[in-house]
Amino acid sequence: MRRVTVKSLTAHIASIQAFYWMIFCPLYSYSSVYLLHKGFSNQQIGWVLALNGILAVFLQPWLGALADRSRRLPLKGFIVILAFFPILMLAAMAYFSLSWLWISLFYVLALAITQTLQPLINSLTFECINAGYAVSYGFTRAMGSVAFAILSSLIGLWLNSHSPDSLPLLAAILFVVIFALVFFFPNLGAHRTPEQLHLAAEQESSAPSGSFLRRYKGFLLLILGVASIFIFHNLINLYLVQIMAPFGAQDSQLGLALTIAALCELPAFFGFSFLVRRVPAHVLLQLAGILYALRSLLFFFATSVWMINLGQVVQGVTYALIIPASVYYVDHLMKDADKVKGQSWMTGGMTLGSILGSVAGGWMLDRFGVHPMLGLGVATAVVGSLLVIWALRLSSARPAALTTE
């Protein structure tokens, strides 16, 4: 049996993160391109993406709680099972001529499962850390951004001369790789004893409804703040092609804008292990919220593709801070029996913002145009920033700088 080392685990998880975030490129970032090609309106695109978010919001906390309580099925087992179904749906979209109803259904389910995988993959990293392996979450997550950046540019160039019909097939192939990588991920053994798992299950089953949120003061308010921020975040990611269209942008320029954002994430992701030892995670969350509000103003006042790209540069101190900071914050704040559930709630908040951004953005684009939609983004980013600051000031357990890595 191959010996498990920190280096081999880091490389394995980095590969999982890379292929996972590459899936988002054809399936999410280019969703407008694909669905517009299939005859969907902006509002219909918004509803398709909102429905996947609604499904993911319910799946994420439920599966998170199930994974926390499970004694027989390891975390990687949940990931492998979930990754299997999108392969079939995306392959059907690629090889068969489907009606708009089947396209909508498969797209909703595939995207919902993709988003549901995110907290589980994050928790897989922290299972390694909690088992004594000093895996760097920031480094592994940065590999996801590197892979996303490369694929964004390649897809943008590809679509200049090829049909968007190839996007589901690409996503299906990426899911096959994820399935294989997770299936062959080493079994590290449970970092909790059977007695601890049994006690956690008893506590979960006997706890009254809502006790999880009551145990962590301010956590629900934090989720709402993150959701509000991600309304803006989703508006500019999902409808970036429409935002850039008034400036005469083509698919290759969309690919460049996505690549700029992904590359600018790298310094924060690579350096987060160093940064979080010196600056508390809750401070970084507040800083990310404030910078998101400033970023929304950049997009609102943009008058050229150059200014849009400048707004994409700021992704390096907004998204690239809020993602690892929230993951570290939850892992440090939550008890062992609540860790996966906590990650799922946090990702659920982000997904909730994506739902609202999808619906509101598509509706406002069709009814009022790009600029009013960006005005909505400014409002939600500012409100979200204020809620995050308030929530973390209310919290009775604000984690200090972490020293786990």
Side-chain angles (χ1 to χ4, degrees):
M1 182 177 178
R2 185 169 60 89
R3 181 170 172 264
V4 177
T5 64
V6 173
K7 188 175 181 180
S8 66
L9 279 177
T10 300
H12 204 142
I13 294 174
S15 299
I16 293 171
Q17 289 278 14
F19 282 95
Y20 172 74
W21 287 102
M22 277 197 283
I23 291 170
F24 270 92
C25 195
L27 198 57
Y28 194 79
S29 296
Y30 283 89
S31 58
S32 285
V33 175
Y34 175 75
L35 293 175
L36 285 171
H37 173 72
K38 290 297 183 180
F40 286 63
S41 68
N42 290 317
Q43 192 169 355
Q44 287 172 328
I45 293 170
W47 277 109
V48 166
L49 298 175
L51 287 173
N52 99 78
I54 292 170
L55 182 57
V57 161
F58 287 101
L59 280 176
Q60 285 163 349
W62 177 71
L63 282 173
L66 193 63
D68 275 327
R69 293 197 306 269
S70 177
R71 301 189 212 177
R72 295 183 179 179
L73 187 64
L75 181 59
K76 80 171 195 176
F78 283 93
I79 298 173
V80 165
I81 291 170
L82 284 174
F84 175 74
F85 295 102
I87 296 171
L88 301 179
M89 292 181 284
L90 292 166
M93 290 172 62
Y95 286 108
F96 298 103
S97 179
L98 303 176
S99 68
W100 69 269
L101 182 61
W102 282 108
I103 292 173
S104 300
L105 177 63
F106 286 162
Y107 219 95
V108 165
L109 292 174
L111 260 179
I113 291 171
T114 304
Q115 295 194 69
T116 301
L117 285 173
Q118 184 178 340
L120 300 181
I121 290 173
N122 287 339
S123 296
L124 191 66
T125 306
F126 279 89
E127 269 200 357
C128 298
I129 294 171
N130 295 332
Y133 297 91
V135 174
S136 170
Y137 173 80
F139 173 81
T140 58
R141 179 58 184 83
M143 290 300 98
S145 294
V146 171
F148 182 93
I150 294 170
L151 191 59
S152 294
S153 292
L154 293 176
I155 290 178
L157 294 171
W158 172 266
L159 291 179
N160 278 339
S161 55
H162 295 83
S163 169
D165 287 324
S166 57
L167 293 174
L169 177 60
L170 174 58
I173 293 169
L174 294 171
F175 260 115
V176 170
V177 178
I178 284 287
F179 181 94
L181 285 170
V182 177
F183 184 83
F184 290 107
F185 192 79
N187 292 311
L188 302 178
H191 63 273
R192 287 185 282 167
T193 66
E195 291 77 13
Q196 288 173 314
L197 285 165
H198 179 68
L199 178 60
E202 285 187 341
Q203 290 173 339
E204 183 70 32
S205 61
S206 62
S209 177
S211 62
F212 168 75
L213 295 175
R214 288 196 295 270
R215 279 198 294 274
Y216 305 103
K217 185 179 179 182
F219 188 64
L220 179 58
L221 192 61
L222 176 63
I223 297 299
L224 294 175
V226 169
S228 186
I229 287 172
F230 267 74
I231 293 175
F232 162 71
H233 180 82
N234 196 57
L235 287 177
I236 60 172
N237 279 278
L238 177 58
Y239 298 112
L240 188 59
V241 62
Q242 290 93 331
I243 293 170
M244 297 178 70
F247 310 128
Q250 298 178 338
D251 286 335
S252 58
Q253 289 172 300
L254 171 64
L256 176 62
L258 292 171
T259 301
I260 289 171
L263 290 177
C264 288
E265 295 170 1
L266 298 183
F269 280 139
F270 276 125
F272 197 83
S273 299
F274 172 85
L275 181 63
V276 80
R277 293 191 188 107
R278 288 154 181 80
V279 183
H282 73 275
V283 173
L284 294 172
L285 277 173
Q286 293 177 74
L287 176 62
I290 293 169
L291 292 173
Y292 255 117
L294 295 176
R295 187 184 181 196
S296 69
L297 293 172
L298 274 174
F299 274 86
F300 185 76
F301 291 109
T303 57
S304 64
V305 171
W306 180 87
M307 290 187 70
I308 294 295
N309 288 339
L310 180 62
Q312 292 293 81
V313 169
V314 185
Q315 176 125 329
V317 287
T318 51
Y319 183 77
L321 277 185
I322 201 169
I323 291 297
S326 63
V327 170
Y328 272 81
Y329 180 84
V330 169
D331 186 76
H332 194 68
L333 177 69
M334 302 281 168
K335 298 176 182 178
D336 281 352
D338 294 327
K339 287 183 185 294
V340 180
K341 188 193 305 180
Q343 299 291 359
S344 298
W345 272 88
M346 180 61 71
T347 307
M350 297 174 183
T351 305
L352 177 61
S354 297
I355 296 169
L356 298 174
S358 298
V359 175
W363 181 77
M364 292 197 74
L365 272 175
D366 282 342
R367 295 294 182 90
F368 305 108
V370 170
H371 209 248
M373 182 192 73
L374 292 175
L376 172 66
V378 172
T380 57
V382 170
V383 170
S385 175
L386 293 174
L387 287 175
V388 166
I389 293 170
W390 184 21
L392 292 171
R393 290 182 182 276
L394 281 177
S395 176
S396 59
R398 293 177 293 180
L402 307 179
T403 56
T404 53
E405 292 191 36

